[in-house]
Amino acid sequence: MKKLFFLFLISIVASPVFIAASINSLSEAQKSTKLISNKKAPGRPGVPPHVTIECYYGDGYIGFVFPVDVNAISVTVCNEIEEWSGLATVNEPVVETPSFSGEYEIECVADNGHTFVGIIEY
C-alpha cells in the first residue's frame, strides 16, 4: 500500500513539470506578433495608426487573422540574404514558407491598400 501511495505522490508532483514543458514547447512552436501600418494618420503627426493585422508563424508556415475589410494579403518576408513572397486569403489564411532562421522583416499589403510592416524572428 505504501508503494502505491508513493507512486501516486510522485505522479502528482511530476505532473506540473510535464505540463510546463508542454506549454513551453507549444509557445516555441507558435509565435505571434502584431504588424502595425507604416502609414501616418492624416492630421495627427506622431500618432501611430490604429489599424493592425495579427500574424502567427512557426517553422514552415505563416498565418494571419484577417480584419473585416480584408480578403487577401500579399506577404514578403526578407532579410539581407534571402526573400520570399506569398499570398494569404480569407479561405487560406496560412501559407507555407521555407524554413527560416533568424530575424526577418515582413511586409504585408492588404487588398484594401493598407501596408503593414514588422519584424519577426524564427
Side-chain angles (χ1 to χ4, degrees):
M1 185 70 172
K2 285 185 179 181
K3 290 181 182 180
L4 185 61
F5 178 72
F6 183 71
L7 183 62
F8 178 73
L9 185 62
I10 293 288
S11 65
I12 289 176
V13 171
S15 299
V17 173
F18 293 125
I19 292 171
S22 298
I23 290 172
N24 192 21
S25 67
L26 182 61
S27 66
E28 287 294 321
Q30 180 175 348
K31 302 177 183 181
S32 68
T33 186
K34 294 274 185 183
L35 301 176
I36 302 171
S37 173
N38 63 355
K39 294 183 179 181
K40 299 285 184 188
R44 298 173 29 190
V47 176
H50 297 289
V51 180
T52 61
I53 246 182
E54 183 178 354
C55 80
Y56 51 95
Y57 58 96
D59 189 30
Y61 72 92
I62 188 164
F64 297 90
V65 177
F66 281 77
V68 176
D69 61 338
V70 175
N71 294 316
I73 298 172
S74 174
V75 185
T76 303
V77 178
C78 63
N79 63 8
E80 298 84 29
I81 302 169
E82 58 187 323
E83 182 173 319
W84 173 86
S85 295
L87 181 70
T89 64
V90 172
N91 296 332
E92 293 184 28
V94 179
V95 181
E96 290 184 29
T97 65
S99 292
F100 293 122
S101 178
E103 188 174 274
Y104 289 81
E105 183 177 316
I106 181 170
E107 179 178 272
C108 303
V109 180
D111 60 354
N112 65 1
H114 287 113
T115 299
F116 303 87
V117 294
I119 301 292
I120 56 177
E121 188 167 336
Y122 282 93

